[in-house]
PDB file of all heavy atoms in Angstrom:
ATOM      1  N   GLU M  71      11.120  17.092   5.938  1.00  0.00           N
ATOM      2  CA  GLU M  71      11.152  16.855   4.503  1.00  0.00           C
ATOM      3  C   GLU M  71      10.088  17.681   3.792  1.00  0.00           C
ATOM      4  O   GLU M  71      10.336  18.257   2.729  1.00  0.00           O
ATOM      5  CB  GLU M  71      10.952  15.364   4.207  1.00  0.00           C
ATOM      6  CG  GLU M  71      12.172  14.509   4.501  1.00  0.00           C
ATOM      7  CD  GLU M  71      11.901  13.036   4.279  1.00  0.00           C
ATOM      8  OE1 GLU M  71      10.880  12.536   4.815  1.00  0.00           O
ATOM      9  OE2 GLU M  71      12.688  12.377   3.586  1.00  0.00           O
ATOM     10  N   VAL M  98       2.659  40.822  15.836  1.00  0.00           N
ATOM     11  CA  VAL M  98       3.496  40.793  17.036  1.00  0.00           C
ATOM     12  C   VAL M  98       4.922  40.480  16.605  1.00  0.00           C
ATOM     13  O   VAL M  98       5.219  39.359  16.184  1.00  0.00           O
ATOM     14  CB  VAL M  98       2.996  39.737  18.043  1.00  0.00           C
ATOM     15  CG1 VAL M  98       3.890  39.713  19.278  1.00  0.00           C
ATOM     16  CG2 VAL M  98       1.547  40.018  18.439  1.00  0.00           C
ATOM     17  N   PHE M 115      -5.752  46.860  22.980  1.00  0.00           N
ATOM     18  CA  PHE M 115      -4.306  46.837  22.778  1.00  0.00           C
ATOM     19  C   PHE M 115      -3.970  46.268  21.399  1.00  0.00           C
ATOM     20  O   PHE M 115      -3.060  46.755  20.722  1.00  0.00           O
ATOM     21  CB  PHE M 115      -3.611  45.999  23.854  1.00  0.00           C
ATOM     22  CG  PHE M 115      -2.154  45.769  23.582  1.00  0.00           C
ATOM     23  CD1 PHE M 115      -1.231  46.784  23.762  1.00  0.00           C
ATOM     24  CD2 PHE M 115      -1.697  44.546  23.111  1.00  0.00           C
ATOM     25  CE1 PHE M 115       0.107  46.587  23.488  1.00  0.00           C
ATOM     26  CE2 PHE M 115      -0.365  44.341  22.825  1.00  0.00           C
ATOM     27  CZ  PHE M 115       0.544  45.369  23.016  1.00  0.00           C
ATOM     28  N   ASN M 139      14.634  33.316  17.868  1.00  0.00           N
ATOM     29  CA  ASN M 139      15.336  32.156  18.431  1.00  0.00           C
ATOM     30  C   ASN M 139      14.901  31.801  19.847  1.00  0.00           C
ATOM     31  O   ASN M 139      15.217  30.721  20.338  1.00  0.00           O
ATOM     32  CB  ASN M 139      16.849  32.399  18.416  1.00  0.00           C
ATOM     33  CG  ASN M 139      17.436  32.271  17.025  1.00  0.00           C
ATOM     34  OD1 ASN M 139      16.917  31.536  16.195  1.00  0.00           O
ATOM     35  ND2 ASN M 139      18.514  33.004  16.762  1.00  0.00           N
ATOM     36  N   PRO M 144       7.839  22.636  18.915  1.00  0.00           N
ATOM     37  CA  PRO M 144       7.800  21.170  19.034  1.00  0.00           C
ATOM     38  C   PRO M 144       8.799  20.531  18.077  1.00  0.00           C
ATOM     39  O   PRO M 144       9.180  21.135  17.063  1.00  0.00           O
ATOM     40  CB  PRO M 144       6.364  20.809  18.649  1.00  0.00           C
ATOM     41  CG  PRO M 144       5.600  22.075  18.708  1.00  0.00           C
ATOM     42  CD  PRO M 144       6.560  23.185  18.459  1.00  0.00           C
ATOM     43  N   PHE M 147       9.209  20.893  13.933  1.00  0.00           N
ATOM     44  CA  PHE M 147       8.760  22.176  13.402  1.00  0.00           C
ATOM     45  C   PHE M 147       9.933  23.143  13.441  1.00  0.00           C
ATOM     46  O   PHE M 147      10.408  23.532  14.507  1.00  0.00           O
ATOM     47  CB  PHE M 147       7.587  22.728  14.214  1.00  0.00           C
ATOM     48  CG  PHE M 147       6.290  22.023  13.938  1.00  0.00           C
ATOM     49  CD1 PHE M 147       6.014  20.803  14.545  1.00  0.00           C
ATOM     50  CD2 PHE M 147       5.359  22.547  13.054  1.00  0.00           C
ATOM     51  CE1 PHE M 147       4.832  20.136  14.288  1.00  0.00           C
ATOM     52  CE2 PHE M 147       4.186  21.885  12.791  1.00  0.00           C
ATOM     53  CZ  PHE M 147       3.917  20.679  13.412  1.00  0.00           C
ATOM     54  N   TYR M 149      11.373  26.740  11.990  1.00  0.00           N
ATOM     55  CA  TYR M 149      11.160  28.001  11.306  1.00  0.00           C
ATOM     56  C   TYR M 149      12.388  28.881  11.472  1.00  0.00           C
ATOM     57  O   TYR M 149      13.193  28.691  12.380  1.00  0.00           O
ATOM     58  CB  TYR M 149       9.915  28.717  11.860  1.00  0.00           C
ATOM     59  CG  TYR M 149       8.662  27.886  11.782  1.00  0.00           C
ATOM     60  CD1 TYR M 149       8.033  27.425  12.938  1.00  0.00           C
ATOM     61  CD2 TYR M 149       8.109  27.557  10.552  1.00  0.00           C
ATOM     62  CE1 TYR M 149       6.886  26.656  12.871  1.00  0.00           C
ATOM     63  CE2 TYR M 149       6.950  26.785  10.472  1.00  0.00           C
ATOM     64  CZ  TYR M 149       6.351  26.339  11.641  1.00  0.00           C
ATOM     65  OH  TYR M 149       5.219  25.584  11.568  1.00  0.00           O
ATOM     66  N   ASN M 151      14.368  32.734  11.837  1.00  0.00           N
ATOM     67  CA  ASN M 151      14.193  34.096  12.311  1.00  0.00           C
ATOM     68  C   ASN M 151      13.585  34.955  11.208  1.00  0.00           C
ATOM     69  O   ASN M 151      14.047  34.940  10.067  1.00  0.00           O
ATOM     70  CB  ASN M 151      15.538  34.704  12.721  1.00  0.00           C
ATOM     71  CG  ASN M 151      15.815  34.515  14.194  1.00  0.00           C
ATOM     72  OD1 ASN M 151      15.072  33.830  14.883  1.00  0.00           O
ATOM     73  ND2 ASN M 151      16.878  35.112  14.681  1.00  0.00           N
ATOM     74  N   VAL M 176      -1.458  31.498  25.281  1.00  0.00           N
ATOM     75  CA  VAL M 176      -0.853  32.729  25.789  1.00  0.00           C
ATOM     76  C   VAL M 176      -1.528  33.143  27.082  1.00  0.00           C
ATOM     77  O   VAL M 176      -2.760  33.122  27.190  1.00  0.00           O
ATOM     78  CB  VAL M 176      -0.995  33.874  24.753  1.00  0.00           C
ATOM     79  CG1 VAL M 176      -0.405  35.170  25.300  1.00  0.00           C
ATOM     80  CG2 VAL M 176      -0.337  33.498  23.441  1.00  0.00           C
ATOM     81  N   LEU M 195      -2.173  20.898  24.913  1.00  0.00           N
ATOM     82  CA  LEU M 195      -1.200  21.416  23.962  1.00  0.00           C
ATOM     83  C   LEU M 195       0.120  20.752  24.317  1.00  0.00           C
ATOM     84  O   LEU M 195       0.678  20.998  25.376  1.00  0.00           O
ATOM     85  CB  LEU M 195      -1.094  22.942  24.066  1.00  0.00           C
ATOM     86  CG  LEU M 195      -0.225  23.632  23.013  1.00  0.00           C
ATOM     87  CD1 LEU M 195      -0.889  23.547  21.646  1.00  0.00           C
ATOM     88  CD2 LEU M 195       0.021  25.092  23.377  1.00  0.00           C
ATOM     89  N   LEU M 207     -11.254  26.348  27.139  1.00  0.00           N
ATOM     90  CA  LEU M 207     -11.517  27.621  26.467  1.00  0.00           C
ATOM     91  C   LEU M 207     -12.159  28.638  27.396  1.00  0.00           C
ATOM     92  O   LEU M 207     -12.247  29.819  27.059  1.00  0.00           O
ATOM     93  CB  LEU M 207     -12.407  27.394  25.249  1.00  0.00           C
ATOM     94  CG  LEU M 207     -11.786  26.576  24.115  1.00  0.00           C
ATOM     95  CD1 LEU M 207     -12.782  26.394  22.980  1.00  0.00           C
ATOM     96  CD2 LEU M 207     -10.523  27.236  23.600  1.00  0.00           C
ATOM     97  N   TYR M 213      -5.945  31.016  22.955  1.00  0.00           N
ATOM     98  CA  TYR M 213      -5.453  29.876  22.180  1.00  0.00           C
ATOM     99  C   TYR M 213      -5.544  30.193  20.699  1.00  0.00           C
ATOM    100  O   TYR M 213      -6.540  30.745  20.216  1.00  0.00           O
ATOM    101  CB  TYR M 213      -6.261  28.621  22.506  1.00  0.00           C
ATOM    102  CG  TYR M 213      -6.237  28.268  23.973  1.00  0.00           C
ATOM    103  CD1 TYR M 213      -7.241  28.713  24.827  1.00  0.00           C
ATOM    104  CD2 TYR M 213      -5.183  27.532  24.500  1.00  0.00           C
ATOM    105  CE1 TYR M 213      -7.205  28.415  26.181  1.00  0.00           C
ATOM    106  CE2 TYR M 213      -5.145  27.244  25.854  1.00  0.00           C
ATOM    107  CZ  TYR M 213      -6.151  27.681  26.683  1.00  0.00           C
ATOM    108  OH  TYR M 213      -6.099  27.403  28.020  1.00  0.00           O
TER     109      TYR M 213
END
Side-chain angles (χ1 to χ4, degrees):
E71 285 176 310
V98 179
F115 171 74
N139 285 331
F147 285 80
Y149 303 113
N151 267 7
V176 178
L195 187 69
L207 294 179
Y213 303 94

